[in-house]
Amino acid sequence: MRPIWNGSVSFGLVNIPVHLYSGSETREGIELNLLHKDDNSPIRYARICKDEGKEVDWDDIVKGYEYEKGKFVTFTGKQLEELDPEKSSTIDIQQFVKEGDIDIRYFDKPYYLEPIKGGEKAYALLRQALQKSSRADDEQRRIAFRESRDLGRDRHGNG
């Protein structure tokens, strides 16, 4: 499984490099490419305009939201950046709470952390401290286009 994010977990002066994995990914196995059966050439995906039937360059593509059938509001790259909360490559642990105090339904989806080479000892100490105190880390994480709050666990279900 590939990590969906690389960064670090920090609390106080401790900084642990980690990979973040989705805990609900059901797809397992190998990735297969689409190939032309006559010569095994890879098949590329083209950006085709539905109205004109022609391929469109990336420079001529904008993002938009369909608010009514066939009607869109479009956004420039600058507008999308302004909507973006502060990006970070760090998971900042705000506080430690008892896991039972949080209803798991309030979290978007589960994620699992794995330490990157060099962070194993510090990560193991964090995991042991959490296990001893029966607490989970209440993380505030800023990744990609949204800020979310997630209950952190390691990939073996230990928090």
Side-chain angles (χ1 to χ4, degrees):
M1 183 184 318
R2 292 182 183 168
I4 60 172
W5 179 80
N6 296 313
S8 61
V9 171
S10 72
F11 55 98
L13 298 174
V14 178
N15 195 17
I16 306 167
V18 294
H19 291 302
L20 179 75
Y21 297 92
S22 173
S24 61
E25 185 174 82
T26 57
R27 196 181 85 194
E28 292 286 330
I30 60 172
E31 291 187 28
L32 299 175
N33 295 312
L34 298 177
L35 304 173
H36 185 228
K37 70 178 180 178
D38 292 340
D39 60 7
N40 286 343
S41 296
I43 304 299
R44 70 176 178 93
Y45 289 96
R47 299 162 306 281
I48 306 295
C49 175
K50 286 184 179 181
D51 290 341
E52 299 173 357
K54 297 179 183 175
E55 188 168 352
V56 179
D57 288 333
W58 279 112
D59 292 341
D60 295 325
I61 294 177
V62 296
K63 293 189 176 186
Y65 173 75
E66 187 173 21
Y67 61 92
E68 190 176 302
K69 181 122 175 113
K71 295 186 178 181
F72 296 86
V73 59
T74 60
F75 301 95
T76 65
K78 185 176 180 179
Q79 289 172 320
L80 290 172
E81 285 177 18
E82 290 172 1
L83 295 173
D84 188 10
E86 180 184 333
K87 290 182 186 179
S88 175
S89 60
T90 303
I91 296 172
D92 296 310
I93 297 176
Q94 302 295 310
Q95 65 180 340
F96 293 97
V97 297
K98 290 182 180 176
E99 188 171 355
D101 290 347
I102 303 171
D103 188 335
I104 198 73
R105 291 178 296 173
Y106 291 110
F107 299 104
D108 292 337
K109 67 185 218 180
Y111 295 95
Y112 294 94
L113 295 173
E114 178 179 56
I116 297 175
K117 187 175 181 178
E120 297 92 339
K121 288 182 181 180
Y123 187 83
L125 289 172
L126 171 62
R127 186 178 63 232
Q128 288 171 357
L130 290 172
Q131 287 170 338
K132 283 184 180 180
S133 65
S134 298
R135 293 179 182 263
D137 51 324
D138 179 15
E139 303 165 348
Q140 185 163 354
R141 180 174 50 84
R142 293 178 178 94
I143 299 175
F145 288 103
R146 64 191 175 99
E147 180 177 303
S148 64
R149 298 180 72 77
D150 297 297
L151 185 66
R153 295 186 152 283
D154 69 21
R155 71 177 208 175
H156 303 293
N158 301 314

